[in-house]
Amino acid sequence: MAKGKPPYVAVCGSGEANQQEEAWAQEVGRLIAEAGAVLVCGGLGGVMDAAARGCEAAGGVSIGTLPGEGRDSASPHLTVSIPTGLGEARNALVVRAADAVIAIGGEFGTLSEIALALKLGKPVVGLRTWELAKEGLKVSAIIEATTPEEAVRVALDAIA
Amino acid sequence: MAKGKPPYVAVCGSGEANQQEEAWAQEVGRLIAEAGAVLVCGGLGGVMDAAARGCEAAGGVSIGTLPGEGRDSASPHLTVSIPTGLGEARNALVVRAADAVIAIGGEFGTLSEIALALKLGKPVVGLRTWELAKEGLKVSAIIEATTPEEAVRVALDAIA
Amino acid sequence: MAKGKPPYVAVCGSGEANQQEEAWAQEVGRLIAEAGAVLVCGGLGGVMDAAARGCEAAGGVSIGTLPGEGRDSASPHLTVSIPTGLGEARNALVVRAADAVIAIGGEFGTLSEIALALKLGKPVVGLRTWELAKEGLKVSAIIEATTPEEAVRVALDAIA
Amino acid sequence: MAKGKPPYVAVCGSGEANQQEEAWAQEVGRLIAEAGAVLVCGGLGGVMDAAARGCEAAGGVSIGTLPGEGRDSASPHLTVSIPTGLGEARNALVVRAADAVIAIGGEFGTLSEIALALKLGKPVVGLRTWELAKEGLKVSAIIEATTPEEAVRVALDAIA
């Protein structure tokens, strides 16, 4: 893939993830790297750190867009970290920098990233993440995947 | 209520709302003004414009935090408008400026505001808005109201 | 002046200003209010607080765009305050929300607001503020005023 | 230098630079890469593109923090590009992400980055860039360098 032209895929999830979520995130990070895509994330722990770790192990490039003013809380597995000092407003930057978003589990921060990505018309793939409904009817905006392989394949296909 | 010390309540909803939503928003805006609170919104049409209109009619103060670089798209009923030039990242500012959030209907932008408010630990009251779930189980983070009166009362009580 | 259509004038200066600067800021705030314009500022102490105080005394409307996440540090003289949580990135918002900028004295934060305003093509009037040069030659981008009256008149004329 | 722990150095300058400035920027980019530091810039043309080109040629890592919503205007020499959609507010991010700033020539955007960096207490080194004064007296906040070698050495020494 030509330099400067790879797809960018965001991986979103909780900074305090469970074992299953971290294992998925690491695998997603690895597959993103192997596909020659760039990984974008919020740069902290949990799912973010695991995804960066998987990406690093496969020789990939990852970006962590941090909420704070410094790098102290950054995952050590990131290729580059960007302290924004914007607090939760940085969630919009994670999504803006990505062509597609993969959400793994996640809390309200992840939900905001899912929503911002959908607002911007970017494909969102979920691995056991938030479920959305209105007036009792499911809103099928998040593409559901059941494995890291499926999640990455679907995300990359959606932006091909 | 002492100047500079009023509560700030955000009203979030679609820029292209239906008649029911606009009627609710106008009533919510009126009630916020009558309570001496300041109304915060995204400053555009639909729910935002209707809320500003209701607030204006009751002699209240409203702030519209706009996504674009100019005021062309601002509701004419706002007390003050703030073009941010931040795009959808301004949703974080709407929420940050508010002590509580009332969501009326809404699309993905509204969902992002709900999520950001919950992330920041601010009370969110919903009038026929998004419903959240994980693994098939409802997540009861949004306080459901059925009338504008209830929505405003619950929001103000939550921050009293 | 029709509601929603007034000019917005930013007043920028140090949070720890000297007596002369505060006196000028208060007078500038008063004159902005008397002209029916809306005052925008960074919302903190010093020049910002003095401008808000002058505006308040003349029955005007002022907006304080705060760098932090809360309102604790806000001037009590503001009509509305907006905690952005963006840190110094909020300087871009102060400028973006204004049609013209008046800089009174000031340190590096003020210089950043002057520079951002000039970048955006907005008129900047200075009262004993930064002087700019390149390769020993003065860059006359800031309109120099010697009194608050002149500063406000020139700013309003530039956007009329 | 351990991964994730390198210094980050921002290179700021005009998107439409002259030949001398571009040559300096390319050399600065090369030297940053050779020092094992990460280059941060605004991601567009002129000085930004030249710095990224120099960095790339030396096998270094560069980040371009773009003002727009897409990557169309990004330098093709960047390792990673980040479309922020924040407009000129992204200047605060360029500076925030850097431990030190090197300014080469530059217009008002560069001046805003110099000012924001100084506000944040980060060292700023200038190559024929803005000159600051107050009341006729030079303000020596920018460390003046006369060659790319000196600029990079001084910047790295200041953060060592």
Side-chain angles (χ1 to χ4, degrees):
Chain A
M1 204 167 284
K3 187 172 176 190
K5 301 294 186 193
Y8 284 65
V9 180
V11 178
C12 301
S14 178
E16 299 186 7
N18 62 37
Q19 216 169 358
Q20 165 76 93
E21 291 166 347
E22 293 207 7
W24 276 346
Q26 185 168 340
E27 185 68 0
V28 163
R30 184 179 70 77
L31 292 163
I32 287 172
E34 289 181 2
V38 174
L39 169 68
V40 183
C41 71
L44 301 174
V47 157
M48 300 169 265
D49 177 65
R53 197 166 57 235
C55 183
E56 180 185 47
V61 172
S62 65
I63 306 170
T65 305
L66 298 158
E69 302 185 4
R71 291 188 164 87
D72 288 351
S73 54
S75 162
H77 301 289
L78 295 162
T79 308
V80 293
S81 60
I82 302 178
T84 65
L86 302 181
E88 296 306 320
R90 77 83 155 76
N91 293 7
L93 294 191
V94 171
V95 163
R96 178 71 75 191
D99 300 303
V101 173
I102 296 174
I104 301 174
E107 302 299 332
F108 295 124
T110 302
L111 179 59
S112 75
E113 292 168 316
I114 291 171
L116 288 163
L118 293 172
K119 171 73 177 176
L120 294 172
K122 304 194 177 188
V124 177
V125 182
L127 274 166
R128 205 177 294 171
T129 188
W130 288 95
E131 294 152 14
L132 309 176
K134 279 183 179 176
E135 304 188 43
L137 295 176
K138 181 175 177 176
V139 174
S140 299
I142 303 170
I143 306 166
E144 294 174 40
T146 54
T147 65
E149 290 73 21
E150 187 189 0
V152 174
R153 182 172 45 73
V154 169
L156 292 173
D157 283 355
I159 56 181
Chain B
M1 206 167 285
K3 187 173 176 188
K5 301 293 188 193
Y8 284 66
V9 179
V11 178
C12 302
S14 179
E16 299 186 7
N18 63 37
Q19 216 169 359
Q20 166 74 96
E21 291 165 347
E22 293 207 8
W24 276 346
Q26 185 168 340
E27 185 68 0
V28 163
R30 184 178 72 75
L31 293 163
I32 287 172
E34 289 181 2
V38 174
L39 170 68
V40 184
C41 70
L44 301 174
V47 158
M48 299 168 265
D49 177 65
R53 196 166 58 235
C55 183
E56 180 185 47
V61 172
S62 65
I63 306 170
T65 306
L66 299 157
E69 301 186 3
R71 291 187 164 86
D72 288 350
S73 54
S75 162
H77 301 290
L78 294 163
T79 309
V80 293
S81 59
I82 302 178
T84 65
L86 302 182
E88 297 305 320
R90 78 83 155 76
N91 293 7
L93 294 190
V94 171
V95 163
R96 178 72 75 191
D99 300 304
V101 173
I102 296 174
I104 301 174
E107 301 298 332
F108 296 124
T110 302
L111 179 59
S112 76
E113 292 168 316
I114 291 170
L116 288 163
L118 294 171
K119 171 72 178 177
L120 294 172
K122 303 193 176 188
V124 177
V125 182
L127 275 167
R128 206 177 294 170
T129 189
W130 288 95
E131 294 151 14
L132 309 176
K134 279 183 181 176
E135 303 188 43
L137 295 175
K138 181 176 175 174
V139 174
S140 299
I142 303 171
I143 305 165
E144 295 174 41
T146 54
T147 65
E149 290 72 19
E150 187 189 0
V152 174
R153 182 172 44 75
V154 168
L156 290 174
D157 283 356
I159 56 182
Chain C
M1 205 168 284
K3 186 171 175 190
K5 301 294 186 194
Y8 285 65
V9 180
V11 179
C12 302
S14 178
E16 299 187 8
N18 63 36
Q19 216 169 357
Q20 167 74 95
E21 291 166 346
E22 293 207 8
W24 276 346
Q26 185 168 340
E27 185 68 359
V28 163
R30 184 180 70 78
L31 293 163
I32 287 172
E34 288 181 2
V38 174
L39 170 68
V40 183
C41 70
L44 301 174
V47 159
M48 300 169 263
D49 177 65
R53 197 167 56 235
C55 183
E56 181 185 47
V61 172
S62 65
I63 306 169
T65 306
L66 299 157
E69 301 185 4
R71 291 186 164 87
D72 287 350
S73 54
S75 162
H77 301 289
L78 295 163
T79 309
V80 293
S81 60
I82 302 179
T84 65
L86 302 182
E88 297 306 320
R90 77 83 155 76
N91 293 6
L93 294 190
V94 171
V95 163
R96 177 72 77 192
D99 299 305
V101 172
I102 297 174
I104 301 174
E107 303 299 331
F108 295 123
T110 301
L111 179 60
S112 76
E113 292 168 316
I114 291 170
L116 288 163
L118 294 171
K119 170 74 179 176
L120 294 172
K122 304 194 176 187
V124 177
V125 183
L127 275 166
R128 204 177 296 171
T129 189
W130 288 94
E131 295 152 13
L132 309 176
K134 279 183 180 176
E135 303 189 41
L137 295 175
K138 182 176 176 176
V139 174
S140 300
I142 303 170
I143 306 166
E144 294 174 41
T146 54
T147 65
E149 290 72 20
E150 186 189 359
V152 174
R153 182 172 45 75
V154 168
L156 290 175
D157 283 355
I159 57 181
Chain D
M1 207 167 282
K3 187 173 175 187
K5 300 294 187 193
Y8 284 65
V9 179
V11 179
C12 301
S14 179
E16 299 186 8
N18 63 35
Q19 217 169 356
Q20 166 75 95
E21 291 165 347
E22 293 207 8
W24 276 346
Q26 185 168 340
E27 185 68 358
V28 163
R30 184 179 71 78
L31 292 163
I32 287 172
E34 289 181 1
V38 174
L39 170 68
V40 183
C41 70
L44 301 174
V47 158
M48 299 169 265
D49 177 65
R53 197 166 57 235
C55 184
E56 180 184 47
V61 172
S62 65
I63 306 170
T65 305
L66 298 157
E69 301 186 3
R71 292 188 164 85
D72 287 350
S73 54
S75 162
H77 301 290
L78 295 162
T79 309
V80 293
S81 59
I82 302 178
T84 65
L86 302 181
E88 296 306 320
R90 76 83 154 77
N91 293 8
L93 294 191
V94 171
V95 164
R96 178 71 77 191
D99 300 304
V101 172
I102 296 173
I104 301 174
E107 302 298 332
F108 296 123
T110 302
L111 179 60
S112 75
E113 292 168 314
I114 291 171
L116 288 163
L118 293 172
K119 171 73 177 177
L120 294 172
K122 302 192 178 190
V124 177
V125 182
L127 274 167
R128 206 178 293 171
T129 189
W130 287 95
E131 295 152 12
L132 309 176
K134 280 184 179 174
E135 303 188 45
L137 295 176
K138 181 175 176 176
V139 174
S140 299
I142 303 171
I143 306 165
E144 295 175 40
T146 54
T147 64
E149 290 73 20
E150 187 189 359
V152 174
R153 182 172 44 76
V154 168
L156 291 174
D157 282 356
I159 56 182

